[in-house]
Amino acid sequence: MKCEDILIFTDLDGSLLDHDNFEFQDIKDFILKCLDTGIKIIPNSSKTKIEIELFFNQLGKELPYISENGAAVHNLDLLNANLKLKDNSIILSRSIKEILEIFKTKVPLEFREKCDFIEDMTQDKQMQTLGLNHKYLPFALNRDYSLPLIFNGSRKLIREFSLFLKSLGLKLHEGGRVFNICDDCSKGFAMKSVVKKLRTELKSNPYTIVVGDSPNDISMLKQSDQPCIIPLPNKDNLIDLEIKNIIRAKKYAPKGWEEVIKSSLKKININFVG
Ligand SMILES: [Mg+2]
């Protein structure tokens, strides 16, 4: 297999970035080394466009990426210059305004009163909930396609809420820190759209490695050639997920990311010192 055919779709928070402080310095050189070999890395995150671009600033490199839980795919020319797309993006979601309108008019009070939207919290509570400081908070709040919230209810009620949203054509995504109400899109569907484009338009046959840590990563883990899971320091995450061939990191992010990528590459006979 050629490195150019390898696509790594990766979650960011808790998977590539440290769950608590969002750091990745320890694996920065390894990431750059992967990119140098021709391997493509595609962040697929619940983060906003601007938050992911800040990550690229720290990395010193722009990458193709998927923002807000599969709502939009950007920078596709960086995946392959021959991909022809309007605005270089694929938008898979309705706007946040439309999603909010559906929520306000169609969701019964018994669910609505359990929703504590990040947008409505005090700034201190927002920072505490998202684990962000003054500098980074505004970038996380600048959302185009999703409504982050805390849901104050039992697991049973969460399941019922999720099913109700589904009946409205919306989705409830569970990330490492908060829930997000989104359009009927997912990280997995967005990933599939990218892979399909490469297969149909460029006749290429990519090998996909997926790295995730939370329920909102399951849709993409399920359709990868090599699924990888990173443990979280504060909870038993995805421990019951049964997918064939999973590689589970022993270490937390960011080192766990390097660990699973090295193991994944080794399985397909690609070895390089990183
Ligand atoms: Mg995560």
Side-chain angles (χ1 to χ4, degrees):
M1 182 162 334
K2 289 186 302 195
C3 286
E4 287 75 13
D5 290 330
I6 299 170
L7 305 184
I8 302 175
F9 287 88
T10 181
D11 171 52
L12 292 175
D13 296 352
S15 296
L16 185 149
L17 306 175
D18 184 292
H19 173 76
D20 295 319
N21 60 21
F22 309 105
E23 269 294 332
F24 69 101
Q25 279 304 317
D26 288 352
I27 62 161
K28 187 175 169 182
D29 289 346
F30 177 72
I31 296 172
L32 294 173
K33 205 166 274 184
C34 288
L35 293 169
D36 280 347
T37 66
I39 293 172
K40 304 287 194 304
I41 300 176
I42 305 156
N44 192 351
S45 172
S46 61
K47 281 184 181 293
T48 61
K49 193 171 193 284
I50 190 156
E51 285 181 292
I52 299 175
E53 281 165 3
L54 280 170
F55 163 68
F56 296 155
N57 284 347
Q58 292 171 319
L59 183 66
K61 241 184 164 89
E62 289 265 326
L63 304 173
Y65 67 97
I66 300 166
S67 59
E68 295 190 52
N69 279 314
V73 190
H74 299 288
N75 285 352
L76 275 169
D77 59 336
L78 299 179
L79 195 56
N80 192 303
N82 297 318
L83 281 174
K84 304 255 184 302
L85 286 162
K86 190 171 165 270
D87 303 328
N88 203 17
S89 299
I90 311 173
I91 307 299
L92 299 162
S93 170
R94 286 171 286 186
S95 70
I96 198 166
K97 212 174 137 218
E98 289 170 89
I99 296 167
L100 189 58
E101 188 59 28
I102 297 172
F103 177 83
K104 279 185 180 161
T105 55
K106 305 266 172 67
V107 174
L109 187 64
E110 59 166 308
F111 290 131
R112 273 189 288 134
E113 66 185 10
K114 303 275 191 246
C115 294
D116 196 358
F117 285 101
I118 302 290
E119 199 183 64
D120 303 331
M121 293 175 182
T122 62
Q123 201 182 54
D124 281 351
K125 183 89 190 291
Q126 288 174 333
M127 289 192 293
Q128 186 198 343
T129 308
L130 298 173
L132 296 169
N133 60 24
H134 280 103
K135 187 178 161 201
Y136 292 106
L137 182 68
F139 304 123
L141 298 180
N142 188 358
R143 310 193 80 84
D144 293 319
Y145 307 106
S146 50
L147 300 162
L149 66 134
I150 295 292
F151 190 83
N152 301 302
S154 63
R155 288 309 302 186
K156 185 170 167 278
L157 204 60
I158 290 168
R159 268 195 304 278
E160 287 171 18
F161 182 42
S162 177
L163 282 173
F164 188 81
L165 289 176
K166 201 174 166 193
S167 75
L168 299 176
L170 300 179
K171 253 191 195 142
L172 185 69
H173 289 284
E174 183 175 359
R177 290 176 186 270
V178 292
F179 286 91
N180 269 290
I181 296 175
C182 304
D183 201 353
D184 184 21
C185 40
S186 66
K187 291 187 178 188
F189 184 78
M191 168 187 165
K192 207 150 120 186
S193 311
V194 173
V195 172
K196 197 171 155 199
K197 268 203 162 298
L198 292 172
R199 289 219 166 100
T200 53
E201 289 181 26
L202 304 174
K203 308 282 176 250
S204 67
N205 191 21
Y207 179 87
T208 56
I209 298 171
V210 165
V211 190
D213 72 302
S214 292
N216 63 344
D217 298 316
I218 295 174
S219 62
M220 62 167 176
L221 287 163
K222 274 189 172 165
Q223 55 179 298
S224 62
D225 294 305
Q226 179 57 66
C228 305
I229 293 176
I230 310 295
L232 284 174
N234 57 352
K235 57 174 151 182
D236 289 337
N237 54 317
L238 306 183
I239 44 168
D240 298 326
L241 187 65
E242 286 181 26
I243 308 178
K244 262 202 317 196
N245 306 330
I246 292 183
I247 295 177
R248 288 181 184 270
K250 292 192 182 66
K251 296 175 193 151
Y252 303 134
K255 284 304 268 186
W257 194 89
E258 179 174 323
E259 183 190 333
V260 294
I261 295 301
K262 278 184 176 167
S263 304
S264 303
L265 295 175
K266 208 170 166 187
K267 268 173 90 172
I268 49 172
N269 297 318
I270 294 176
N271 290 293
F272 58 90
V273 183

